[in-house]
Amino acid sequence: MAELHLPPTLPPLFRELPRRIELDAATVEEAIERLDERWPGLRDRLCEPGPLLRPHINVFVDRERAALDTALAAGSRVDVIAAISGG
Amino acid sequence: MPRIVLLVGTRKGCFLLESDEHRRDWSVRGPFCDGWPIYHAVHDPDSGTIYAAAASEWHGAGVWRSGDLGESWELSSEGLAYAEGSLKLSKISGLTAAHGRVLAGAEAAGVFESRDGGRTWSLLTTLDGQPGRTDWNDPANQPPGHLGLPAVLPHPDDPSRFWAVVQGFGIFETTDDGTSWTPRNRGLRADWPVEDPEVGYCVHKLVMSPVDRERLYQQNHCGMHRSDDGGRSWVEVTEGLPTDFGFAAAAHPHDRDGFYVIPLDPGHGRCMPAGRAAVWRTRDAGATWERLDRGLPQRDAHLSVLREGLAIDALDVPGLYFGTSTGQVFASADEGESWSEIAGYLPGISSVEVAVLA
């Protein structure tokens, strides 16, 4: 099981979406797919056609910068972070 | 007694301002749409649904919808995308609800439609083959804040006929629901070289008189213009106004010769001239103009109003409303003769629309 941590801008968009969730997935992309199955539309909030991560969405796996094809291991921590900007 | 609801799109969410037919006392609700930047919020009089075009820097573009006047909201972007490897959708710039569907103008330039109340969307057209089409999505031709295709003006009687505005290129008309198009820019002025006289004009706001389907008005980057033949030709009616630049415009609901604009300084500031706020009105189709400023700030008021920032209701004595890019909303219950500020501290305003509810 990987442990996902989601940005605070996502839960208001999807009913009962938690900030922290555990799920089985082999890659970052697969983890996002699992989320999209349960909360339809969530993939579009993180990815654009390609698929690619949106320009201001950053993913770290075990503190290392990751992409959609980054592999996840049992116990991986995945941080999905919206770019720190705006005002 | 009718309820008057203003739909105000801002940089940080959608707000709803509500009053009765007297339009004196207003309540404010919001922010809605989780504080997403809203480019244009509209009310569909047939379904009662509110739609709000949004684009988050983090989470992409979508359209929020509320079927209960703002009590609850849902976001959808299903189908709001171009094919992989073609254009890139950055924002939904403008919305139109008419004839049982919603049309969304987008950047990059295209029109999407929804026939299920905003739940799903499909691409209707990118105006392929039109003059300028190969240039207008080139990032080198796009200024900051580019809106792509910011507006669609529907024909009230014919669902297959509408006009699309492409930023910096002009108006295109279709009479077959987007299958074919005709540029409708004859007579417009451009203060820059135009390679193809059919296109290259910067149309900021296009409106139709509700009482004359052939009478169109527009606020252009270069002057105010009127058409008496459904957009096939245009005549400039700028003389008498303090500047030829502005964004917002509104047509009088009962008088085909009545038209309102908000002239701005055309330089970088793009504010009302001399720090004195005013709306300008013609009642003779642009032959003469009058300044309407009673109740508006006349000192140090460096206000700007964007292209969807002015609205007019259809009551017997119409009310006018405008929102500024610094967050004030001003209202008039007497056709613009006198004004009052009805909200002063909203986020920067992109759009104001008005709904009259029975």
Side-chain angles (χ1 to χ4, degrees):
Chain A
M1 297 279 259
E3 181 182 299
L4 264 71
H5 294 256
L6 299 172
T9 50
L10 271 186
L13 306 180
F14 300 96
R15 194 162 294 139
E16 296 180 4
L17 174 68
R19 288 283 309 278
R20 175 187 169 282
I21 187 169
E22 292 185 350
L23 47 75
D24 283 317
T27 63
V28 170
E29 184 174 16
E30 198 176 308
I32 293 173
E33 284 299 326
R34 296 288 88 75
L35 293 174
D36 192 74
E37 289 166 3
R38 189 161 163 194
W39 289 282
L42 191 147
R43 177 193 177 90
D44 283 347
R45 304 280 69 84
L46 299 178
C47 301
E48 59 185 27
L52 295 167
L53 287 169
R54 289 193 175 279
H56 301 299
I57 296 294
N58 303 300
V59 176
F60 294 83
V61 174
D62 297 325
R63 296 181 177 274
E64 297 286 334
R65 173 86 72 163
L68 285 175
D69 60 359
T70 300
L72 302 182
S76 286
R77 175 181 171 122
V78 181
D79 288 291
V80 180
I81 297 173
I84 300 166
S85 65
Chain B
M1 180 176 285
R3 297 164 66 190
I4 314 299
V5 179
L6 299 187
L7 297 81
V8 181
T10 82
R11 289 183 60 235
K12 298 175 185 289
C14 184
F15 292 79
L16 300 180
L17 280 59
E18 187 165 336
S19 185
D20 58 25
E21 64 182 353
H22 301 298
R23 297 162 288 183
R24 280 194 303 264
D25 302 313
W26 294 83
S27 62
V28 179
R29 289 189 288 140
F32 300 117
C33 309
D34 201 41
W36 280 38
I38 302 298
Y39 287 84
H40 193 200
V42 300
H43 176 260
D44 180 359
D46 296 330
S47 68
T49 302
I50 295 170
Y51 299 96
S56 158
E57 293 284 354
W58 296 315
H59 297 305
V63 177
W64 292 83
R65 64 185 187 276
S66 174
D68 51 16
L69 288 177
E71 294 299 321
S72 62
W73 292 81
E74 290 187 83
L75 172 69
S76 176
S77 59
E78 189 174 341
L80 283 174
Y82 294 111
E84 185 184 342
S86 61
L87 303 174
K88 183 173 180 179
L89 184 87
S90 72
K91 62 175 71 80
I92 304 301
S93 309
L95 294 171
T96 298
H99 306 297
R101 68 174 169 177
V102 188
L103 297 176
E107 198 291 322
V111 180
F112 291 82
E113 70 168 348
S114 174
R115 292 183 177 273
D116 60 4
R119 290 168 185 80
T120 63
W121 298 82
S122 58
L123 179 61
L124 185 66
T125 177
T126 51
L127 282 78
D128 293 350
Q130 284 305 295
R133 168 66 179 81
T134 55
D135 295 327
W136 65 52
N137 290 315
D138 180 351
N141 294 329
Q142 297 174 347
H146 190 249
L147 296 171
L149 197 155
V152 172
L153 178 68
H155 193 281
D157 307 318
D158 182 352
S160 298
R161 184 180 180 193
F162 56 89
W163 293 264
V165 175
V166 178
Q167 184 174 352
F169 285 82
I171 300 166
F172 297 83
E173 181 189 9
T174 180
T175 57
D176 54 14
D177 206 28
T179 303
S180 64
W181 295 88
T182 306
R184 294 298 190 197
N185 304 298
R186 191 162 298 158
L188 296 180
R189 173 167 62 91
D191 289 347
W192 44 82
V194 173
E195 293 178 11
D196 181 343
E198 294 277 354
V199 296
Y201 306 93
C202 194
V203 180
H204 287 174
K205 177 68 177 178
L206 175 66
V207 296
M208 174 187 286
S209 167
V211 290
D212 182 350
R213 310 301 198 225
E214 296 295 298
R215 170 61 60 83
L216 305 181
Y217 294 99
Q218 70 169 276
Q219 168 68 73
N220 192 290
H221 191 113
C222 305
M224 288 52 158
H225 302 262
R226 188 190 80 230
S227 173
D228 296 327
D229 55 10
R232 286 180 283 279
S233 65
W234 292 92
V235 58
E236 184 164 0
V237 292
T238 306
E239 190 173 339
L241 288 166
T243 80
D244 67 354
F245 184 89
F247 292 110
H252 194 284
H254 314 307
D255 175 8
R256 67 190 291 273
D257 294 331
F259 176 50
Y260 296 81
V261 294
I262 302 178
L264 306 176
D265 276 330
H268 276 84
R270 297 189 171 180
C271 293
M272 298 184 195
R276 299 173 62 221
V279 174
W280 289 71
R281 173 177 64 191
T282 179
R283 292 198 271 198
D284 51 18
T288 61
W289 294 90
E290 56 186 319
R291 177 185 172 93
L292 306 171
D293 63 11
R294 197 193 321 158
L296 294 175
Q298 297 304 301
R299 182 179 173 185
D300 302 328
H302 301 283
L303 303 176
S304 185
V305 179
L306 297 175
R307 63 186 70 208
E308 301 296 349
L310 173 66
I312 188 165
D313 68 39
L315 297 187
D316 290 344
V317 179
L320 278 110
Y321 315 89
F322 71 86
T324 70
S325 55
T326 42
Q328 297 86 27
V329 181
F330 294 91
S332 166
D334 54 9
E335 303 187 67
E337 294 291 339
S338 63
W339 296 83
S340 60
E341 182 181 302
I342 61 172
Y345 300 100
L346 299 182
I349 293 168
S350 304
S351 72
V352 175
E353 296 281 358
V354 58
V356 178
L357 309 177

